[in-house]
Amino acid sequence: MHFKKNFNKSFNILLLRILIIFVFILVSFFIIIPLLPLFLKSFSDNKNNFIGLENFINYIQNPSLTQSFINSLKVAITTTFFSVLIGFIYAYALTRTRLPLKKFFNTFSLFSLYIPPLAVAIGLIYIFGKQGLITQGFFGTIPGFDINLYGFNGIIIGEIFYCFPQALIILVSALNLSDQRLYEAAESLKASPLRKFLTITLPNIKYGLMNSFFICFILSFTDFGVPKVVGGNFNVLATDIYKQVVGQQNFAMGATISIYLLVPSILAFLIDKNFRKNEASLISGKSIPFKPRKNLIVDSIMFIFCSLILILVIGVFSSIVLASLIKIWPYDISLSLQNFRFSNVAGNGYEPYFNTVFMSIYTAIFGTIFVFFTAYLVEKFKPLKKIRMLIYFFSTLPIAIPGLVLGLSYILFFNKPSFSVPFLDFQIFNPFSLLYGTMGILVLANIIHFFTVCFISATTTLKQIDKEFEEVSESLKVPFYKTFLRITIPLSLPTILEIGSYYFVNSMITVSAIIFLYPAKIPVSSVSIVNMDDAGDTASAAAMSTLIVLTSLFVRLIYEFTSRNVSKKSSVWINPLET
Amino acid sequence: MIKKEGSFKYLEIKNISKNFGETFVLKNIHLDVFKGEFLCLLGPSGCGKTTLLRIISGLERQTNGDIVQDGLLISNSPTEKRDFGIVFQSYALFPNLNAKQNIAYGLENKKINKKEIEKRTNNLLRLVGLEKYSDQFPSQLSGGQQQRVALARAMALSPGLLLLDEPLSALDAQVRSKLRNEIKLIQKKLNLTTIMVTHDQTEALSMADRVVVMERGHIAQIGTPFELYENPITPFVADFIGKMNLLKGKYDKKNCVFYYLNNRFLISQNTEYSFLENCLLGIRPEDIEIIKFRKNIEKEENILRVKIKEITYLGTIFRLTVVLESKLEENIFVDVISNQVISNNLKIGDFIDIKLKKEKIKLFESNL
């Protein structure tokens, strides 16, 4: 028997395949392929002759350079330990105790997310530096105390400031997933508080704990801003790369050190990924959130602890603002706005500031579109499974690529007008080289530098949206892109706004990814902070830092306001009938 | 029961198989669905019923085999080119669109003018009895109302085939039985060929013209609810549709006698069983009589003396769980009209005689 065949191939599926391949090519060229010239460079001298492992051997034989590697590890391990410890106690206080003024502590704990690590370091100088408030006993009013800021101590304090809120965010969300019923069951079985902690609390947050170890390790191992400002003679890998590339124009050694920086990061990344392979929530959808009971002793201890942390955070921020407003610290402590002129210094007036604001706006817009669309293609469709898995893997990788390494690899990749094909006398035009020397490359570097966090949060949101929406649309003959615009985007709007604001704030404060990349005609403010600090003009650096922090906070406020409106509007979709 | 004479095959499923790597989910499924028929795919979870439904819709692709819908070979057609509407267990209503917008979602994509869409949407709202709720968002509707919106949305493009994937299992019992009738009425009114997946045998029996009982990736039996209940062909079907006691023993074909331990049961001679020796005797709980107070038991056939282990009240009947003294772990279920239990004052621990109605006994091949 013969039947008429329904031959119509689907245009939509074809379109989908093309889009997935297109995104695959983009993420490959933006994330993976730029690393290749960096690897090649690490095996060549500065005249591009292949010299094998010579650079690596030179590095190991140079005691001052190897010392930096050990220093970086020391910094990373110490910072990770304290950041996770402080982050955990603070998160525990927020989620599992009746901490007074919880909302206040919650909001202000994340305050330091808006302060560039560079600015934290500058704030520390004004508190613990030679002329610092504490060191000099508040301009000599009380006995001073010197903590020997420049060097290991300063770096550790700065890095903890930088890393602790990151650990806090992860641990709060891990601790928030709790089930009151488990604790009630344990109580009915007469389990001690310690036993409950060890058998319920800890197993529930082990993935979050591991992840916060990983994040803190990578951030502190690779950070450039803090050691640059308060490192003194204590060299770390990140500052070494900077010195090699900017100071000595030794790109080959810069690339080599980058590899030393990259390998432990990737290793930590793989360990974390492997550990979380079996991640499954122990908390079911039916669980009842934990309701902490009053406990005067615990609550008071937590209150004191959290207050101390907040005082430090606010103290650092205030000292930055104060420093920017004081005429000549510590000799003329009258207030003035002269530091905000940026006219007499290495900076270029307000140009770097506005460049940075525009760069951050572009990053927020294009980054959000790109990251959300990538996550959407990876998460919602069936075709080309292997390619989608690769896109997913590539998208999670940038978190392990230090900003300096990304920046260096971008220079080496994007400044090439053409690629030569190995073994053939043939050149291919590099279309991406057109971005070199423009604002575009800064925006792209930022998009990729902060890609992973945004990608994961987009993926998580998309996962929560019923997969059957796409199937229903197919059955109703509605093409996927219409459903994307009409259903998926409105439902994801809160996350989309969150990603946009994350991109903006981080682009405002970042220095490492763009310090090698910024074109001379487009100065940016975080780099001018470095330059002003180098030139000894710390007050102007503090003023620029203040501007950055205030701008970030302002954008965050706009975000809070908008997202509140959005959630008010969408509450009718979400709230169940009973309410 | 519905006879299918005169109606034509609307959907033909030919030799469909599906495997994920080494594991078979579906194996050589053959199935014809007639125009206007309400067909249920019934089986325990993991039997492949949902996979079969998804293969029909094109949301899942078969490993082998063909599907013909209305004379058109659609085996490799993409979902969007197939002619069907679907209702999922979760309903998958778009939360940011109200009831009316949800129903109109598919229509708006077609080149139909706004008035026509409005008219069709209102008709559908009326059909499912939700005219008053057209502006409500899914979260403002009850489960049953959401289910109706999903149904209306699935029917908006006037599909030739309606697919229902466990559409009622998220609802509470009362709403469920009400909606059963409504769906059935709408389906008959529109003469809409419908395939419903369910694991609930009551639902299948009360709604379907024919039921396909599935077991581990193959079809165990196809038939009307009546046929399946009265003449199950495997012990699996027998016990899945309703309840059936299954006793393992030996069959003496020549004398039409079944031996169970020390007991012998006469089997109706008009039934031909081709298999020999080891097999299963099947009898439904309602086909067992209690003959506690009758005399001359010796003359009666197919009697067992048993001890009452449990008495469960099920409304109009009691279900007794009884055991033989020699085989305490093997439960036999007996359904007794409530009055009989009360008037005879049956208690746990009592010994009673039960009689298996000869004409109701089935024999099954034992694959154990």
Side-chain angles (χ1 to χ4, degrees):
Chain A
M1 216 159 115
H2 285 280
F3 301 99
K4 275 194 291 172
K5 278 196 179 176
N6 195 350
F7 259 130
N8 294 335
K9 279 279 169 212
S10 168
F11 166 74
N12 290 327
I13 293 177
L14 187 70
L15 177 64
L16 208 55
R17 283 167 182 269
I18 292 172
L19 285 172
I20 291 172
I21 290 171
F22 179 66
V23 165
F24 174 70
I25 291 171
L26 287 184
V27 294
S28 308
F29 271 95
F30 295 158
I31 298 169
I32 298 298
I33 294 176
L35 291 175
L36 299 179
L38 183 82
F39 275 101
L40 283 179
K41 197 79 190 170
S42 69
F43 294 110
S44 7
D45 63 17
N46 278 317
K47 286 169 188 142
N48 281 330
N49 301 312
F50 183 78
I51 52 165
L53 290 171
E54 208 180 301
N55 288 329
F56 292 92
I57 293 163
N58 282 344
Y59 181 86
I60 292 173
Q61 286 173 347
N62 183 332
S64 75
L65 288 178
T66 38
Q67 186 58 45
S68 301
F69 184 79
I70 294 163
N71 287 350
S72 284
L73 275 181
K74 260 196 215 161
V75 166
I77 291 167
T78 317
T79 306
T80 304
F81 175 76
F82 284 109
S83 302
V84 174
L85 184 69
I86 297 171
F88 177 77
I89 298 173
Y90 204 109
Y92 192 88
L94 288 179
T95 53
R96 300 295 176 92
T97 68
R98 290 269 197 101
L99 178 73
L101 303 173
K102 206 179 255 184
K103 258 202 171 136
F104 170 80
F105 280 109
N106 193 16
T107 312
F108 280 86
S109 63
L110 301 178
F111 198 64
S112 51
L113 285 178
Y114 307 99
I115 311 176
L118 269 177
V120 169
I122 287 168
L124 290 178
I125 290 179
Y126 283 100
I127 300 176
F128 298 114
K130 299 246 152 45
Q131 305 293 344
L133 283 173
I134 302 273
T135 319
Q136 296 297 333
F138 292 91
F139 304 111
T141 47
I142 52 168
F145 177 72
D146 191 354
I147 65 155
N148 262 329
L149 180 73
Y150 294 95
F152 183 73
N153 293 348
I155 296 177
I156 292 302
I157 298 172
E159 297 297 358
I160 292 173
F161 260 95
Y162 174 41
C163 296
F164 135 79
Q166 312 277 349
L168 180 64
I169 293 174
I170 299 168
L171 292 171
V172 163
S173 65
L175 281 164
N176 260 333
L177 285 176
S178 60
D179 194 344
Q180 172 91 13
R181 296 172 305 174
L182 291 177
Y183 290 91
E184 282 169 358
E187 225 152 89
S188 74
L189 297 167
K190 318 270 180 275
S192 67
L194 179 69
R195 182 124 192 259
K196 280 190 276 183
F197 180 80
L198 292 176
T199 55
I200 306 172
T201 312
L202 226 47
N204 258 327
I205 61 159
K206 65 178 174 193
Y207 297 108
L209 214 50
M210 183 69 191
N211 193 235
S212 55
F213 274 120
F214 157 68
I215 296 287
C216 292
F217 179 85
I218 291 206
L219 287 178
S220 55
F221 185 67
T222 64
D223 181 49
F224 167 73
V226 175
K228 177 80 187 72
V229 176
V230 293
N233 294 324
F234 191 85
N235 291 327
V236 294
L237 287 173
T239 46
D240 277 359
I241 296 176
Y242 179 73
K243 279 180 208 154
Q244 292 292 338
V245 173
V246 172
Q248 307 181 15
Q249 293 288 312
N250 187 347
F251 281 85
M253 193 38 91
T256 308
I257 304 174
S258 293
I259 303 295
Y260 278 101
L261 194 62
L262 188 60
V263 168
S265 307
I266 299 272
L267 222 59
F269 167 77
L270 292 176
I271 291 171
D272 180 58
K273 207 165 178 114
N274 196 45
F275 183 78
R276 294 202 295 162
K277 212 163 49 187
N278 312 320
E279 179 166 2
S281 181
L282 301 170
I283 305 297
S284 73
K286 283 181 188 151
S287 55
I288 301 159
F290 182 79
K291 282 203 191 67
R293 275 183 229 142
K294 249 202 161 77
N295 182 332
L296 201 61
I297 300 170
V298 173
D299 295 350
S300 325
I301 294 174
M302 288 300 180
F303 183 75
I304 295 167
F305 177 83
C306 294
S307 305
L308 278 176
I309 299 288
L310 264 201
I311 288 169
L312 281 171
V313 170
I314 293 170
V316 167
F317 175 66
S318 318
S319 68
I320 298 168
V321 177
L322 198 63
S324 70
L325 292 174
I326 281 180
K327 242 182 200 163
I328 306 166
W329 187 296
Y331 310 107
D332 178 358
I333 52 172
S334 59
L335 298 180
S336 104
L337 284 173
Q338 70 172 25
N339 293 322
F340 284 87
R341 283 200 205 119
F342 306 118
S343 49
N344 52 346
V345 281
N348 302 322
Y350 272 87
E351 202 192 334
Y353 173 72
F354 286 114
N355 282 338
T356 304
V357 171
F358 282 115
M359 177 184 79
S360 303
I361 292 173
Y362 292 140
T363 305
I365 293 171
F366 294 114
T368 306
I369 293 172
F370 183 48
V371 90
F372 191 76
F373 195 64
T374 304
Y376 170 71
L377 286 179
V378 168
E379 199 48 51
K380 285 289 175 190
F381 296 101
K382 282 174 249 169
L384 303 172
K385 188 166 183 223
K386 290 230 166 86
I387 293 188
R388 285 187 297 108
M389 280 168 67
L390 268 181
I391 298 177
Y392 186 91
F393 178 73
F394 288 175
S395 302
T396 53
L397 204 52
I399 200 156
I401 304 176
L404 285 175
V405 176
L406 186 75
L408 191 56
S409 69
Y410 266 35
I411 302 188
L412 297 173
F413 175 72
F414 285 93
N415 74 354
K416 276 201 176 119
S418 60
F419 308 114
S420 55
V421 181
F423 311 115
L424 293 172
D425 196 14
F426 189 66
Q427 301 270 320
I428 305 175
F429 173 63
N430 175 4
F432 300 109
S433 67
L434 297 176
L435 282 173
Y436 194 73
T438 67
M439 171 82 88
I441 200 170
L442 301 182
V443 171
L444 185 62
N446 281 331
I447 290 175
I448 298 305
H449 190 188
F450 305 112
F451 199 75
T452 305
V453 172
C454 300
F455 179 80
I456 296 292
S457 95
T459 310
T460 311
T461 300
L462 288 167
K463 270 204 177 101
Q464 286 161 354
I465 299 178
D466 203 336
K467 234 182 175 134
E468 284 165 349
F469 289 162
E470 269 72 27
E471 300 187 334
V472 164
S473 306
E474 267 187 88
S475 81
L476 295 171
K477 312 342 176 206
V478 178
F480 69 90
Y481 47 87
K482 285 198 181 162
T483 303
F484 176 66
L485 293 175
R486 201 150 161 226
I487 309 294
T488 313
I489 290 191
L491 293 182
S492 317
L493 208 52
T495 305
I496 291 173
L497 289 173
E498 173 81 50
I499 291 172
S501 102
Y502 180 87
Y503 260 134
F504 184 90
V505 169
N506 279 288
S507 306
M508 283 300 292
I509 68 175
T510 190
V511 59
S512 61
I514 55 179
I515 196 159
F516 295 145
L517 280 177
Y518 78 98
K521 59 181 192 294
I522 313 177
V524 288
S525 53
S526 53
V527 178
S528 57
I529 294 177
V530 173
N531 292 339
M532 290 188 274
D533 177 61
D534 267 349
D537 195 355
T538 324
S540 295
M544 189 57 97
S545 304
T546 306
L547 278 182
I548 292 179
V549 176
L550 292 180
T551 311
S552 299
L553 285 175
F554 177 68
V555 167
R556 189 67 196 181
L557 274 180
I558 294 177
Y559 159 77
E560 291 289 344
F561 183 74
T562 323
S563 73
R564 205 158 292 172
N565 272 350
V566 166
S567 64
K568 208 186 273 170
K569 229 178 172 182
S570 60
S571 64
V572 68
W573 314 337
I574 299 154
N575 285 351
L577 192 66
E578 299 86 66
T579 57
Chain B
M1 288 293 112
I2 311 275
K3 282 277 174 228
K4 282 292 133 198
E5 286 154 23
S7 27
F8 66 97
K9 291 179 189 171
Y10 179 74
L11 187 75
E12 294 165 65
I13 291 160
K14 296 159 168 267
N15 203 23
I16 288 285
S17 295
K18 172 81 181 174
N19 46 327
F20 293 108
E22 296 284 288
T23 42
F24 266 95
V25 184
L26 291 172
K27 215 167 182 178
N28 307 334
I29 302 284
H30 285 277
L31 182 62
D32 292 331
V33 188
F34 297 98
K35 177 73 191 161
E37 184 178 30
F38 196 122
L39 189 87
C40 265
L41 303 179
L42 175 67
S45 59
C47 72
K49 56 192 191 298
T50 296
T51 308
L52 183 57
L53 192 85
R54 290 174 66 84
I55 286 173
I56 295 168
S57 70
L59 292 168
E60 204 95 48
R61 208 38 66 90
Q62 68 277 13
T63 315
N64 272 313
D66 279 317
I67 304 173
V68 178
Q69 185 178 0
D70 208 8
L72 206 63
L73 184 68
I74 57 164
S75 317
N76 290 311
S77 305
T79 300
E80 63 199 68
K81 305 281 182 194
R82 297 188 189 196
D83 180 21
F84 73 96
I86 190 164
V87 177
F88 290 105
Q89 184 177 358
S90 69
Y91 315 141
L93 294 178
F94 303 123
N96 57 330
L97 305 184
N98 64 29
K100 200 170 185 173
Q101 290 167 324
N102 261 290
I103 296 170
Y105 194 74
L107 293 168
E108 281 166 5
N109 190 51
K110 296 215 145 187
K111 302 270 176 291
I112 313 175
N113 69 42
K114 281 224 168 94
K115 260 192 190 151
E116 180 64 25
I117 292 176
E118 178 82 16
K119 202 177 117 194
R120 275 206 57 102
T121 313
N122 285 334
N123 283 342
L124 285 161
L125 277 166
R126 201 168 315 124
L127 183 71
V128 296
L130 287 178
E131 302 100 309
K132 284 183 202 149
Y133 298 93
S134 67
D135 295 333
Q136 306 275 350
F137 288 98
S139 62
Q140 298 168 311
L141 297 169
S142 70
Q145 289 164 339
Q146 290 180 35
Q147 211 282 333
R148 284 176 229 212
V149 176
L151 188 65
R153 183 178 65 181
M155 294 191 300
L157 298 178
S158 312
L161 179 63
L162 181 63
L163 304 177
L164 307 171
D165 185 5
E166 306 246 6
L168 301 173
S169 58
L171 301 170
D172 55 55
Q174 268 189 326
V175 184
R176 206 185 306 171
S177 72
K178 189 166 170 241
L179 269 170
R180 262 183 219 158
N181 296 331
E182 284 184 28
I183 293 176
K184 183 80 188 167
L185 273 174
I186 292 171
Q187 185 265 336
K188 282 294 157 224
K189 190 170 155 194
L190 304 176
N191 194 33
L192 182 55
T193 313
T194 301
I195 302 176
M196 180 171 92
V197 160
T198 179
H199 64 266
D200 179 339
Q201 48 122 346
T202 326
E203 204 167 286
L205 295 188
S206 63
M207 292 176 82
D209 298 324
R210 284 193 306 153
V211 177
V212 179
V213 183
M214 295 183 66
E215 182 194 10
R216 278 176 288 163
H218 69 267
I219 293 177
Q221 192 174 356
I222 307 178
T224 64
F226 185 77
E227 283 163 4
L228 292 178
Y229 195 83
E230 291 300 316
N231 286 311
I233 57 173
T234 70
F236 170 77
V237 176
D239 202 33
F240 197 75
I241 308 275
K243 182 82 206 146
M244 191 171 275
N245 294 301
L246 295 165
L247 306 174
K248 198 171 168 190
K250 283 197 163 74
Y251 178 50
D252 175 356
K253 194 179 175 186
K254 211 159 74 189
N255 301 315
C256 286
V257 175
F258 181 86
Y259 294 95
Y260 174 62
L261 304 173
N262 295 324
N263 308 285
R264 55 197 297 267
F265 298 105
L266 298 180
I267 309 296
S268 289
Q269 289 177 342
N270 55 9
T271 328
E272 279 285 321
Y273 292 109
S274 58
F275 40 84
L276 278 171
E277 290 271 289
N278 293 326
C279 63
L280 292 171
L281 176 149
I283 184 137
R284 295 206 181 273
E286 67 266 30
D287 295 328
I288 301 176
E289 263 183 290
I290 297 186
I291 48 172
K292 188 187 177 192
F293 299 104
R294 260 196 254 173
K295 288 169 186 170
N296 303 326
I297 297 173
E298 294 77 22
K299 283 182 190 169
E300 301 252 3
E301 293 158 343
N302 296 357
I303 303 288
L304 272 180
R305 166 144 295 205
V306 293
K307 188 179 172 187
I308 300 177
K309 188 175 150 191
E310 233 177 273
I311 302 178
T312 315
Y313 179 57
L314 297 174
T316 53
I317 57 158
F318 276 95
R319 174 161 291 174
L320 309 185
T321 310
V322 300
V323 288
L324 289 168
E325 281 277 76
S326 59
K327 226 176 171 193
L328 288 169
E329 73 279 9
E330 190 156 294
N331 292 331
I332 300 172
F333 299 103
V334 182
D335 285 354
V336 193
I337 297 169
S338 299
N339 291 339
Q340 214 181 345
V341 175
I342 296 161
S343 58
N344 288 331
N345 193 24
L346 295 180
K347 299 183 303 292
I348 291 174
D350 285 358
F351 281 91
I352 50 170
D353 290 311
I354 56 173
K355 175 177 176 167
L356 282 53
K357 291 178 187 163
K358 182 179 162 188
E359 68 282 3
K360 294 286 187 183
I361 292 176
K362 309 261 183 296
L363 292 185
F364 300 103
E365 209 165 352
S366 169
N367 44 9
L368 300 171

